[in-house]
Amino acid sequence: MYRVIAAVLAAAACTQPVQAQTSPPPAAEPTGETLTLDRALELAGATAPGVEAATAGVRAAEAQRRAAGLRPNPSINVEAENVIGTGPYSGLSSAETTVGMSLPLELGGKRSARIGVADAQTARARLEVITAQADLRLKVTQAFVEAAAAERRLGVARDQRDIANESLRGARVRVRAGRASPLEEQRADVQRINAETALAQGERSAALARANLARLIGREPGRLDLAWFERTDGLGPKLSKSADGTLALALAQADIATADAQVRLARSQRVPDLTLSAGARRLEATNDVAAVFGVSVPLPLFNNGRANLDAARAQRDQAEALRRGAVLDAQQAIASAETEVANAEANARTAAGPALAAAQEAARIARIGYREGKFGQLDLLEAERTLAQTRAAAIDALAAYHDAQARLERLTARAPSITEDRP
């Protein structure tokens, strides 16, 4: 009898058209609008903590950019000399009071170097916003895929429960009519119990997947766009995607730009600054007033800034090495993801197409043959088990395909031009 079923499977695989459906949607679908992936992404973007944190980082970087462009503040100096001493200086009659102002003058391009560092950090902060949005898209897509797959698995579990109940009723009729042994009824009852257990597990899994999606989008998902879940891209040769211009490499390049700016800043800080001062001095004894001028220059005897410059250069070398490593990692990850997408797409088309059609036809023939007494119960159970496994494999293959596709899109997400957004 197994040879009969195998022959039916082979014939159906050759003759049946490719079918994308794995199982009909659950009968009790929630009412309301159908939640598409694009709508889920839109809802999640409105309340995403990661994106909000990255946006706050941009505001902080822009504030630091404004602070970097400010010049040093002047100082007001007040001095009193020749007071509270001895002899003629015991009081205030010989006091010399000086009131003046000091103004630091930055040399060596320190201000422009600070601005360069702040600009590089601001550019990286804007890239982090795009990266956070890409990460959110991946997370929401994966949650949407898992929820859709759970809905499909739940539909399969309900179908298997109904089939198990029908098989139990048929077995009872055969046993009551004396056409089968009570063992057949026991087997059918075991199948029903297992189907009820699988249905309960499917309901819990679907509830969990929907709850996870709801946490991301901030509301109940409602009815999901299951038609999107069943679609795959067309087969055929595809161009391999390059790692150039991706977010990962753009972030690494932004780190190099920041390190270069830090080197320029460290180099500028080796140039001593001048402090100019000017004031007026009043001599209490003669009631005369005289002008006072001064210039101060720090002497770089102990700290000439060489160590800071060496550290900045080493960090620049580190950033360059990390960028080269990021290129290799990105290329490897993209190649692996492209292979996973191709394999998952082939598995999805096979499992949801010829294999599923053949399993459905074999189960249909086995049910008819069992009712007519041509097939035994074991043949029927084997056909039903094969159908359930094929439907589950089709759902798993579609979920794996969409997950691999989402990860590939995240790896190849392009970095926008950020120079035009600088203030």
Side-chain angles (χ1 to χ4, degrees), residues 209-226:
R210 293 177 64 85
N212 290 336
L213 180 59
R215 293 186 185 97
L216 291 175
I217 65 177
R219 70 168 213 188
E220 287 299 320
R223 184 171 57 246
L224 300 179
D225 182 14
L226 299 182

Side-chain angles (χ1 to χ4, degrees), residues 322-404:
L322 291 175
R323 186 197 67 81
R324 294 196 303 269
V327 171
L328 296 177
D329 291 342
Q331 291 173 342
Q332 180 179 358
I334 290 174
S336 299
E338 287 177 337
T339 301
E340 291 179 13
V341 169
N343 292 339
E345 183 179 15
N347 292 337
R349 286 182 170 272
T350 300
L356 179 59
Q360 289 173 334
E361 181 66 11
R364 185 186 68 83
I365 294 175
R367 295 185 198 114
I368 295 175
Y370 178 70
R371 286 196 298 267
E372 295 178 355
K374 297 179 180 179
F375 293 162
Q377 187 187 40
L378 294 179
D379 296 329
L380 175 62
L381 293 178
E382 180 64 23
E384 295 291 2
R385 181 164 49 250
T386 300
L387 176 59
Q389 292 174 350
T390 304
R391 297 174 77 182
I395 296 173
D396 293 342
L398 287 169
Y401 165 76
H402 288 296
D403 182 79

Side-chain angles (χ1 to χ4, degrees), residues 111-403:
R111 178 171 174 270
S112 61
R114 285 198 311 271
I115 292 175
V117 172
D119 283 340
Q121 292 173 341
T122 302
R124 195 189 193 287
R126 288 172 179 157
L127 275 177
E128 288 176 353
V129 173
I130 307 301
T131 301
Q133 292 171 345
D135 291 339
L136 176 65
R137 180 178 182 85
L138 174 60
K139 182 182 292 186
V140 173
T141 301
Q142 290 177 326
F144 190 92
V145 168
E146 183 57 34
E151 290 283 344
R152 281 305 190 205
R153 293 188 186 102
L154 181 58
V156 171
R158 286 171 176 163
D159 292 344
Q160 293 303 120
R161 188 270 315 271
D162 295 340
I163 292 172
N165 288 334
E166 182 63 28
S167 298
L168 178 59
R169 286 192 293 269
R172 285 174 177 171
V173 171
R174 288 167 61 89
V175 171
R176 300 298 182 270
R179 297 167 53 193
S181 68
L183 185 59
E184 286 198 8
E185 184 177 352
Q186 293 298 323
R187 289 200 200 98
D189 194 32
V190 170
Q191 184 186 23
R192 178 192 62 81
I193 294 173
N194 292 336
E196 292 286 353
T197 302
L199 177 59
Q201 294 175 347
E203 290 174 343
R204 288 191 291 271
S205 297
L208 175 61
R210 293 177 64 85
N212 290 336
L213 180 59
R215 293 186 185 97
L216 291 175
I217 65 177
R219 70 168 213 188
E220 287 299 320
R223 184 171 57 246
L224 300 179
D225 182 14
L226 299 182
W228 170 86
F229 178 74
E230 296 165 353
R231 291 195 297 268
T232 58
D233 293 337
L235 293 175
K238 298 177 182 178
L239 294 177
S240 179
K241 297 184 178 180
S242 172
D244 296 337
T246 60
L247 283 173
L249 298 192
L251 287 172
Q253 192 62 43
D255 289 336
I256 292 179
T258 302
D260 286 335
Q262 292 285 3
V263 171
R264 291 192 294 271
L265 178 60
R267 186 181 295 114
S268 68
Q269 289 174 342
R270 298 193 65 191
V271 180
D273 295 334
L274 297 179
T275 301
L276 303 180
S277 59
R281 175 172 295 178
R282 180 177 180 275
L283 289 77
E284 189 70 24
T286 62
N287 200 26
D288 293 327
V289 177
V292 178
F293 299 98
V295 177
S296 64
V297 181
L299 298 178
L301 297 180
F302 306 108
N303 181 11
N304 61 3
R306 181 68 188 184
N308 291 336
L309 180 59
D310 291 341
R313 286 173 174 170
Q315 290 172 350
R316 201 279 178 196
D317 294 339
Q318 181 186 38
E320 175 61 29
L322 291 175
R323 186 197 67 81
R324 294 196 303 269
V327 171
L328 296 177
D329 291 342
Q331 291 173 342
Q332 180 179 358
I334 290 174
S336 299
E338 287 177 337
T339 301
E340 291 179 13
V341 169
N343 292 339
E345 183 179 15
N347 292 337
R349 286 182 170 272
T350 300
L356 179 59
Q360 289 173 334
E361 181 66 11
R364 185 186 68 83
I365 294 175
R367 295 185 198 114
I368 295 175
Y370 178 70
R371 286 196 298 267
E372 295 178 355
K374 297 179 180 179
F375 293 162
Q377 187 187 40
L378 294 179
D379 296 329
L380 175 62
L381 293 178
E382 180 64 23
E384 295 291 2
R385 181 164 49 250
T386 300
L387 176 59
Q389 292 174 350
T390 304
R391 297 174 77 182
I395 296 173
D396 293 342
L398 287 169
Y401 165 76
H402 288 296
D403 182 79

